[in-house]
Amino acid sequence: MIEAAGRELGPKAVVTDRAEMEPWLSDWRGRVHGEAPAMLAPATTEEVAAIVRLAARHRVPLVPQGGNTGMAAGATPPADGSAILLSMRRMKRIRIVDPESRRAVAEAGVILANLHDAANAVGMRFPLTLGARGSCTIGGLTSTNAGGTQVLKFGTMRSLIAGVEAVLPDGSIHNGLSGLKKDNRGYSLDQLLIGAEGTLGVVTAVALRLVPAIAARAVAWTGVGSPSDALALLRFLEARSTAIEGFELVPADSLELVLRHVPGTRPPLGGAHPWHTLIEATTVDPRVDIAAEIEALLAVALNQGLAADAVIANNEAQAEAFWRIRDTISEAERAEGQTLAHDISVAVTDMPRFIIDAKAEVERRFPGVIASGFGHLGDGNIHFHVRAGDHASPDWYEAEGAAITRMVDDLVTAAGGSISAEHGIGQLKRAELERLAPPGRIHALRAIKHALDPLGIMNPGKLVP
Amino acid sequence: MIEAAGRELGPKAVVTDRAEMEPWLSDWRGRVHGEAPAMLAPATTEEVAAIVRLAARHRVPLVPQGGNTGMAAGATPPADGSAILLSMRRMKRIRIVDPESRRAVAEAGVILANLHDAANAVGMRFPLTLGARGSCTIGGLTSTNAGGTQVLKFGTMRSLIAGVEAVLPDGSIHNGLSGLKKDNRGYSLDQLLIGAEGTLGVVTAVALRLVPAIAARAVAWTGVGSPSDALALLRFLEARSTAIEGFELVPADSLELVLRHVPGTRPPLGGAHPWHTLIEATTVDPRVDIAAEIEALLAVALNQGLAADAVIANNEAQAEAFWRIRDTISEAERAEGQTLAHDISVAVTDMPRFIIDAKAEVERRFPGVIASGFGHLGDGNIHFHVRAGDHASPDWYEAEGAAITRMVDDLVTAAGGSISAEHGIGQLKRAELERLAPPGRIHALRAIKHALDPLGIMNPGKLVP
């Protein structure tokens, strides 16, 4: 298979050097390690199709991979070396950026930050963004239906995708890039491929919606009494302004960890508050003084007791400093010690209570741990992290991790929520999906997988329980 | 099977009287006639599940049906009476209308106009609308991924759906109504069921996004020189206002037919123009004078030569009169004589040229016919209708119809477009889909259908070639 690929695609597309493959054989968190006899790196959709046909003929599974920044080990090959790594990073062409139709077409290997820049260069904007923007790729974002910090206004990747080009497991090319705004010719393969984590085919390019570039933004930080107060503040702002596009919840202990471990960070407010929110508002109209608008709204909110204190960033540097606090919480936690991450969602209105109750229940059941929910409150999606605490043994993660995760997932399921809000299932959440999803759903997932990939060559061992 | 359903669901749920079934055995256009030994009318999701389980046990296919207003005979049973009609019209409860979370949950049999009213009663709006709003149902709109006149701003049904509840072919209930804004637990069954025309399961309820109610609307009519001028006018307006939510193209001959056949209609403008546009702009802010805003923009557009003449409706009655012209074009065509309808799309920028070229080519190949494209220019979706003309024989539709449709579909396919923009495939477009879709796509549609409905009991003979 590897030799055949070399003959068909040329030596540039085939990597077998172990050292060169090394960084791509483990997941981003370094928790899951795989092996692969080779890494194939096609440069075109036709080359991907040729590889998939070879994989089908030789019955060798493929593991598609973009920036390898996923949080569920969905792009890490199996440990037994039975699969070949399919790096999409050479497919990095931005084929179209068209301000008139507000569309871009980017290949799977395009790095998110590069798409941001390309859109910006023509006065437009691709609004989805997240911490890994400098490494994550459009193909990976599509295959995981990624979220990020601007979902409140623009939705997840799914709502920004206008079409998908992919190589299906039979080697045929699905071309959904036609740019049609309306097309009802049967089941939407585009929608099926979004969030499929490479198990139904290889996404090779994506048509994306653009929005007008931002003329100005205002970034504010507030101190609030509780998650419920934070949600009330969000509702207050949303009812009075369409400019709110980011609203992140930060607990006091997350802020403390960042201040302790991340150099150059400073507290945005003078006093102490049990909870904080980071608010971003934008305008595309240069005549609008967005900072003044948000300042006026926050003044009323302070008067009404919805927030205890608030500050608006004076300039872009300060705005970036506020965002840096939010973006480095996970990094600060890792510096502090062992951490278990859970990316979960419940209905937005249920989230404030969930954050408080789940923290109390987990800390009661597992004495010594510190549980903490932070992130996208307005999407009903928080990262519910559980830290080992001071007295934990070095093998705490291995010893207690699975039991804690099961408890968190049980709490989420009992609340009608999702055990994977934006990170996907990958390898890490497969057992929990099987344990908690209704049998009819598991049956449907398996049936679709088997129907489209009967040979099981597309990213085996991921997503489908 | 029918007796078993009677025993399980009670006599109210079972109709076997031929006269009572009669209106539901033919499609809305009266072109396709079916037969069925019974019509089952469940009142709850559990009753639907019981019926599907019976259908699976007895191997009797089901044909789900809402308001029976579909344009592709997707809800008409087969002529041999082998299937049972599944009327969803008793499932007409609006379970939730919540202004705070901007969500509604409506059962499949809820009539669109009733949902409009329910949303309006709490200061909100469900923005999708179309001519059949007084009869069509939420289940049918979901299963056909319906479009309509406000897609320009709000998208098709797919983009307004937050979740789907359905009974899958194995009788299990898929509950996608959780209200989660982020949920990445594997393939999206919701997205697969949208537009599946009842072939993968029975949609029983849908969670829908609401938007704030309109404070005021402005409806304008313009005369323009060509479809290309019309598109330039739309781009001009969209670049200067976010209020445009409807933009319909009407050719002179469509207007003439309406004035001739529809009582009480009057020409909106004094002079004659080869093409017209109907424009709707709305605001949710009562302080905005939307009519003045649009009037000012149209004055500039007239000055720049983007339109030849324009008028803004003085009041709601006049606004309704403008819309009545647009909404009665098909009715006027039928009064004039035999008409072949094609619901097609191409990329928006290609549409002006397509309208002109396709008309010329069809009229040249089939002398005597009159071809005319009208409708949703801003979505790249027009209804390309071909009329028999004066000299056609009474069997023109049967004699030439298929050949004309094949030609139109070939032109659309050559232009990279879709032979079904918003009406779906149903029975009427199945052969053309098979003729024109890539083999890989046909294979994928069949594989998904067989995987989820191995017994073939869900709306057989529809959508999947």
Side-chain angles (χ1 to χ4, degrees):
Chain A
M1 157 89 193
I2 298 164
E3 281 166 31
R7 278 195 303 274
E8 215 163 309
L9 310 178
K12 265 179 79 178
V14 182
V15 177
T16 51
D17 180 63
R18 186 65 176 65
E20 203 176 325
M21 285 196 285
E22 181 73 39
W24 312 107
L25 293 173
S26 297
D27 79 316
W28 180 77
R29 282 180 171 154
R31 290 249 160 83
V32 182
H33 308 282
E35 278 300 335
M39 179 167 79
L40 302 181
T44 66
T45 303
E46 289 66 32
E47 288 188 359
V48 175
I51 291 171
V52 171
R53 282 193 300 268
L54 284 175
R57 192 180 314 146
H58 295 271
R59 303 285 197 279
V60 176
L62 299 171
V63 177
Q65 190 184 77
N68 198 26
T69 60
M71 305 294 261
T76 307
D80 63 5
S82 59
I84 287 178
L85 207 49
L86 181 63
S87 169
M88 300 303 290
R89 289 179 292 277
R90 281 181 69 216
M91 286 195 65
K92 59 186 175 189
R93 210 154 53 90
I94 297 176
R95 297 185 191 163
I96 299 172
V97 185
D98 179 21
E100 206 209 339
S101 64
R102 299 186 173 187
R103 293 281 166 103
V105 174
E107 291 184 345
V110 170
I111 287 172
L112 178 57
N114 293 344
L115 178 67
H116 287 160
D117 292 346
N120 220 43
V122 296
M124 301 298 288
R125 172 187 182 210
F126 180 66
L128 186 136
T129 190
L130 40 72
R133 71 187 77 88
S135 329
C136 66
T137 62
I138 297 303
L141 293 165
T142 300
S143 293
T144 57
N145 181 27
T149 52
Q150 322 298 110
V151 172
L152 194 64
K153 183 157 180 180
F154 297 102
T156 64
M157 199 67 183
R158 190 182 295 284
S159 60
L160 294 166
I161 291 178
V164 175
E165 178 193 87
V167 176
L168 301 181
D170 63 0
S172 66
I173 295 172
H174 163 71
N175 182 351
L177 303 179
S178 58
L180 302 178
K181 292 176 78 172
K182 284 176 167 179
D183 184 7
N184 274 344
R185 286 176 291 176
Y187 315 142
S188 173
L189 294 186
D190 287 1
Q191 294 295 336
L192 203 49
L193 289 160
I194 298 168
E197 303 182 7
T199 62
L200 300 179
V202 185
V203 171
T204 50
V206 186
L208 298 158
R209 301 185 214 289
L210 302 177
V211 298
I214 290 171
R217 71 166 176 171
V219 175
W221 190 279
T222 75
V224 295
S226 66
S228 151
D229 285 357
L231 186 56
L233 175 62
L234 173 61
R235 298 295 195 214
F236 170 90
L237 294 171
E238 283 188 320
R240 285 154 189 82
S241 167
T242 56
I244 309 300
E245 65 173 61
F247 192 93
E248 299 285 309
L249 181 71
V250 178
D253 68 335
S254 292
L255 174 59
E256 281 158 28
L257 287 180
V258 168
L259 298 176
R260 189 181 313 156
H261 294 289
V262 183
T265 50
R266 298 198 307 171
L269 295 171
H273 303 278
W275 296 86
H276 303 255
T277 74
L278 170 60
I279 303 166
E280 177 156 309
T282 66
T283 179
V284 299
D285 184 345
R287 296 164 304 182
V288 170
D289 185 347
I290 187 70
E293 186 182 315
I294 297 304
E295 195 159 17
L297 283 176
L298 285 176
V300 179
L302 285 172
N303 258 331
Q304 294 189 7
L306 291 168
D309 199 1
V311 60
I312 299 216
N314 274 324
N315 49 47
E316 264 302 302
Q318 204 176 1
E320 281 298 317
F322 288 1
W323 269 111
R324 183 140 182 266
I325 293 171
R326 162 64 185 88
D327 285 342
T328 54
I329 292 175
S330 291
E331 179 187 327
E333 286 178 337
R334 279 194 303 274
E336 179 77 4
Q338 300 174 73
T339 306
L340 257 175
H342 306 94
D343 160 52
I344 54 106
S345 65
V346 300
V348 179
T349 41
D350 298 338
M351 187 49 97
R353 165 173 288 203
F354 182 88
I355 292 174
I356 301 294
D357 290 356
K359 174 182 170 65
E361 292 190 45
V362 169
E363 291 179 353
R364 189 166 48 231
R365 175 96 65 92
F366 297 93
V369 306
I370 302 149
S372 173
F374 67 93
H376 325 298
L377 181 68
D379 306 325
N381 168 210
I382 56 156
H383 301 301
F384 190 84
H385 289 191
V386 181
R387 305 202 297 277
D390 292 341
H391 310 296
S393 66
D395 67 345
W396 170 83
Y397 185 91
E398 284 70 27
E400 274 198 338
I404 294 173
T405 294
R406 276 197 300 275
M407 182 182 182
V408 171
D409 289 346
D410 284 341
L411 292 171
V412 168
T413 304
S418 171
I419 63 166
S420 178
E422 60 177 6
H423 292 169
I425 298 297
Q427 298 183 55
L428 298 182
K429 294 191 174 186
R430 237 170 120 220
E432 283 294 84
L433 181 65
E434 178 160 27
R435 188 172 72 86
L436 295 166
R441 175 162 180 82
I442 304 274
H443 171 74
L445 296 183
R446 287 177 178 156
I448 294 167
K449 166 71 178 175
H450 186 72
L452 293 180
D453 181 22
L455 302 176
I457 56 167
M458 294 310 313
N459 210 8
K462 313 291 163 53
L463 191 148
V464 183
Chain B
M1 156 89 192
I2 297 163
E3 279 167 30
R7 276 195 304 274
E8 216 163 307
L9 309 178
K12 267 179 78 175
V14 182
V15 177
T16 51
D17 180 62
R18 187 64 176 66
E20 202 176 326
M21 284 195 285
E22 182 72 41
W24 312 107
L25 293 173
S26 298
D27 81 313
W28 181 77
R29 281 178 171 155
R31 290 247 160 84
V32 182
H33 307 283
E35 279 300 334
M39 179 167 81
L40 302 181
T44 66
T45 303
E46 288 67 31
E47 288 188 0
V48 175
I51 291 171
V52 172
R53 283 193 300 267
L54 284 175
R57 193 179 314 146
H58 295 272
R59 303 286 197 276
V60 176
L62 299 171
V63 178
Q65 191 185 75
N68 199 25
T69 60
M71 306 294 262
T76 308
D80 62 5
S82 59
I84 287 177
L85 206 49
L86 181 62
S87 168
M88 299 302 289
R89 289 179 293 278
R90 281 180 69 214
M91 286 195 65
K92 58 185 177 191
R93 210 155 55 91
I94 298 176
R95 296 183 192 164
I96 299 171
V97 186
D98 178 22
E100 205 210 341
S101 63
R102 299 186 173 187
R103 294 283 165 100
V105 174
E107 292 184 345
V110 169
I111 288 171
L112 178 57
N114 292 345
L115 179 66
H116 287 159
D117 292 345
N120 220 42
V122 296
M124 301 300 286
R125 173 187 181 208
F126 180 65
L128 186 136
T129 190
L130 38 72
R133 72 186 75 89
S135 328
C136 66
T137 62
I138 296 304
L141 293 165
T142 300
S143 293
T144 58
N145 182 24
T149 51
Q150 323 296 113
V151 171
L152 193 63
K153 183 155 179 181
F154 297 102
T156 64
M157 199 67 184
R158 191 183 295 282
S159 60
L160 293 167
I161 291 178
V164 175
E165 178 193 88
V167 176
L168 301 180
D170 64 0
S172 67
I173 295 171
H174 164 70
N175 183 354
L177 303 180
S178 59
L180 301 178
K181 293 176 81 173
K182 286 176 166 179
D183 184 8
N184 274 345
R185 286 175 292 176
Y187 314 143
S188 173
L189 295 185
D190 287 1
Q191 294 294 336
L192 203 50
L193 289 160
I194 297 168
E197 303 183 6
T199 63
L200 299 180
V202 184
V203 172
T204 50
V206 186
L208 298 158
R209 300 185 214 287
L210 302 177
V211 297
I214 291 171
R217 71 167 176 172
V219 175
W221 190 278
T222 75
V224 295
S226 67
S228 150
D229 286 358
L231 186 57
L233 175 62
L234 173 61
R235 298 293 196 213
F236 170 89
L237 295 171
E238 282 187 322
R240 286 155 187 82
S241 167
T242 56
I244 310 297
E245 66 173 60
F247 192 92
E248 299 286 308
L249 180 71
V250 179
D253 69 334
S254 292
L255 175 60
E256 282 157 27
L257 287 178
V258 168
L259 298 176
R260 189 181 312 154
H261 293 290
V262 182
T265 50
R266 300 198 307 173
L269 295 170
H273 305 279
W275 296 86
H276 303 255
T277 73
L278 171 59
I279 302 165
E280 177 157 308
T282 66
T283 178
V284 299
D285 184 343
R287 295 163 304 181
V288 171
D289 185 347
I290 187 69
E293 185 181 316
I294 297 305
E295 196 159 17
L297 283 176
L298 285 176
V300 180
L302 285 172
N303 258 333
Q304 295 189 7
L306 291 167
D309 199 0
V311 59
I312 299 216
N314 274 322
N315 48 48
E316 264 302 300
Q318 204 177 0
E320 280 299 314
F322 289 1
W323 269 111
R324 184 141 182 263
I325 293 171
R326 163 63 186 88
D327 285 342
T328 55
I329 292 175
S330 291
E331 178 187 329
E333 286 178 337
R334 279 194 303 275
E336 179 79 4
Q338 299 173 75
T339 307
L340 257 173
H342 306 93
D343 161 53
I344 55 105
S345 65
V346 299
V348 178
T349 42
D350 298 338
M351 188 47 98
R353 162 172 291 203
F354 182 88
I355 292 173
I356 302 293
D357 290 357
K359 173 182 171 67
E361 291 190 46
V362 168
E363 291 179 353
R364 187 164 53 232
R365 173 96 66 90
F366 297 93
V369 306
I370 302 149
S372 174
F374 67 92
H376 323 298
L377 181 67
D379 307 325
N381 167 213
I382 56 155
H383 301 301
F384 189 83
H385 289 190
V386 181
R387 305 200 298 277
D390 292 341
H391 309 296
S393 66
D395 68 346
W396 170 83
Y397 185 91
E398 283 71 27
E400 273 198 339
I404 295 174
T405 293
R406 276 196 300 274
M407 180 182 183
V408 172
D409 289 346
D410 284 342
L411 292 170
V412 168
T413 304
S418 170
I419 62 166
S420 179
E422 59 176 7
H423 292 167
I425 298 298
Q427 296 182 56
L428 298 180
K429 294 192 174 184
R430 239 170 119 219
E432 284 293 86
L433 181 65
E434 178 159 28
R435 187 172 72 85
L436 295 167
R441 176 163 179 80
I442 303 272
H443 170 75
L445 295 184
R446 286 178 180 155
I448 294 166
K449 166 71 178 176
H450 186 72
L452 293 181
D453 181 21
L455 303 176
I457 55 167
M458 294 310 314
N459 212 7
K462 314 290 164 53
L463 190 146
V464 183

